[in-house]
PDB file of all heavy atoms in Angstrom:
ATOM      1  N   LEU B 344      96.430 122.108 116.245  1.00  0.00           N
ATOM      2  CA  LEU B 344      96.826 122.961 117.365  1.00  0.00           C
ATOM      3  C   LEU B 344      98.156 122.504 117.951  1.00  0.00           C
ATOM      4  O   LEU B 344      99.029 123.335 118.265  1.00  0.00           O
ATOM      5  CB  LEU B 344      95.732 122.964 118.434  1.00  0.00           C
ATOM      6  CG  LEU B 344      94.445 123.688 118.026  1.00  0.00           C
ATOM      7  CD1 LEU B 344      93.396 123.565 119.113  1.00  0.00           C
ATOM      8  CD2 LEU B 344      94.729 125.148 117.724  1.00  0.00           C
ATOM      9  N   LEU B 345      98.310 121.183 118.078  1.00  0.00           N
ATOM     10  CA  LEU B 345      99.568 120.652 118.617  1.00  0.00           C
ATOM     11  C   LEU B 345     100.729 121.065 117.734  1.00  0.00           C
ATOM     12  O   LEU B 345     101.772 121.546 118.208  1.00  0.00           O
ATOM     13  CB  LEU B 345      99.473 119.126 118.695  1.00  0.00           C
ATOM     14  CG  LEU B 345     100.691 118.415 119.298  1.00  0.00           C
ATOM     15  CD1 LEU B 345     100.776 118.729 120.785  1.00  0.00           C
ATOM     16  CD2 LEU B 345     100.605 116.923 119.073  1.00  0.00           C
ATOM     17  N   SER B 346     100.523 120.903 116.425  1.00  0.00           N
ATOM     18  CA  SER B 346     101.587 121.237 115.484  1.00  0.00           C
ATOM     19  C   SER B 346     101.880 122.737 115.506  1.00  0.00           C
ATOM     20  O   SER B 346     103.040 123.160 115.454  1.00  0.00           O
ATOM     21  CB  SER B 346     101.174 120.793 114.076  1.00  0.00           C
ATOM     22  OG  SER B 346     102.135 121.167 113.157  1.00  0.00           O
ATOM     23  N   ALA B 347     100.811 123.529 115.611  1.00  0.00           N
ATOM     24  CA  ALA B 347     101.014 124.978 115.678  1.00  0.00           C
ATOM     25  C   ALA B 347     101.814 125.344 116.918  1.00  0.00           C
ATOM     26  O   ALA B 347     102.729 126.177 116.875  1.00  0.00           O
ATOM     27  CB  ALA B 347      99.657 125.681 115.693  1.00  0.00           C
ATOM     28  N   PHE B 348     101.493 124.668 118.030  1.00  0.00           N
ATOM     29  CA  PHE B 348     102.229 124.963 119.262  1.00  0.00           C
ATOM     30  C   PHE B 348     103.699 124.579 119.103  1.00  0.00           C
ATOM     31  O   PHE B 348     104.604 125.331 119.487  1.00  0.00           O
ATOM     32  CB  PHE B 348     101.588 124.202 120.423  1.00  0.00           C
ATOM     33  CG  PHE B 348     102.385 124.289 121.692  1.00  0.00           C
ATOM     34  CD1 PHE B 348     102.401 125.458 122.433  1.00  0.00           C
ATOM     35  CD2 PHE B 348     103.151 123.221 122.127  1.00  0.00           C
ATOM     36  CE1 PHE B 348     103.153 125.554 123.584  1.00  0.00           C
ATOM     37  CE2 PHE B 348     103.906 123.307 123.280  1.00  0.00           C
ATOM     38  CZ  PHE B 348     103.913 124.483 124.016  1.00  0.00           C
ATOM     39  N   LEU B 349     103.948 123.407 118.530  1.00  0.00           N
ATOM     40  CA  LEU B 349     105.328 122.939 118.373  1.00  0.00           C
ATOM     41  C   LEU B 349     106.114 123.882 117.478  1.00  0.00           C
ATOM     42  O   LEU B 349     107.293 124.143 117.713  1.00  0.00           O
ATOM     43  CB  LEU B 349     105.341 121.518 117.787  1.00  0.00           C
ATOM     44  CG  LEU B 349     104.823 120.420 118.701  1.00  0.00           C
ATOM     45  CD1 LEU B 349     104.886 119.079 117.993  1.00  0.00           C
ATOM     46  CD2 LEU B 349     105.609 120.374 119.992  1.00  0.00           C
ATOM     47  N   ALA B 350     105.453 124.408 116.444  1.00  0.00           N
ATOM     48  CA  ALA B 350     106.159 125.310 115.541  1.00  0.00           C
ATOM     49  C   ALA B 350     106.348 126.683 116.173  1.00  0.00           C
ATOM     50  O   ALA B 350     107.324 127.382 115.902  1.00  0.00           O
ATOM     51  CB  ALA B 350     105.380 125.448 114.219  1.00  0.00           C
ATOM     52  N   PHE B 351     105.425 127.062 117.025  1.00  0.00           N
ATOM     53  CA  PHE B 351     105.487 128.368 117.675  1.00  0.00           C
ATOM     54  C   PHE B 351     106.586 128.381 118.743  1.00  0.00           C
ATOM     55  O   PHE B 351     107.324 129.349 118.908  1.00  0.00           O
ATOM     56  CB  PHE B 351     104.136 128.687 118.299  1.00  0.00           C
ATOM     57  CG  PHE B 351     104.069 130.013 118.978  1.00  0.00           C
ATOM     58  CD1 PHE B 351     104.070 131.187 118.234  1.00  0.00           C
ATOM     59  CD2 PHE B 351     104.038 130.103 120.359  1.00  0.00           C
ATOM     60  CE1 PHE B 351     104.028 132.418 118.859  1.00  0.00           C
ATOM     61  CE2 PHE B 351     103.996 131.336 120.981  1.00  0.00           C
ATOM     62  CZ  PHE B 351     103.986 132.494 120.234  1.00  0.00           C
ATOM     63  N   GLU B 352     106.706 127.267 119.438  1.00  0.00           N
ATOM     64  CA  GLU B 352     107.648 127.126 120.563  1.00  0.00           C
ATOM     65  C   GLU B 352     109.069 127.005 120.016  1.00  0.00           C
ATOM     66  O   GLU B 352     109.448 125.979 119.471  1.00  0.00           O
ATOM     67  CB  GLU B 352     107.251 125.874 121.346  1.00  0.00           C
ATOM     68  CG  GLU B 352     108.137 125.509 122.490  1.00  0.00           C
ATOM     69  CD  GLU B 352     108.190 126.617 123.508  1.00  0.00           C
ATOM     70  OE1 GLU B 352     107.158 126.933 124.118  1.00  0.00           O
ATOM     71  OE2 GLU B 352     109.296 127.185 123.673  1.00  0.00           O
ATOM     72  N   ASP B 353     109.887 128.079 120.124  1.00  0.00           N
ATOM     73  CA  ASP B 353     111.210 128.023 119.489  1.00  0.00           C
ATOM     74  C   ASP B 353     112.334 127.688 120.460  1.00  0.00           C
ATOM     75  O   ASP B 353     113.485 127.672 120.061  1.00  0.00           O
ATOM     76  CB  ASP B 353     111.498 129.349 118.757  1.00  0.00           C
ATOM     77  CG  ASP B 353     111.276 130.534 119.647  1.00  0.00           C
ATOM     78  OD1 ASP B 353     110.821 130.328 120.784  1.00  0.00           O
ATOM     79  OD2 ASP B 353     111.536 131.664 119.207  1.00  0.00           O
TER      80      ASP B 353
END
Side-chain angles (χ1 to χ4, degrees):
Chain B
L344 290 177
L345 183 69
S346 177
F348 172 74
L349 291 180
F351 181 71
E352 177 60 64
D353 51 355

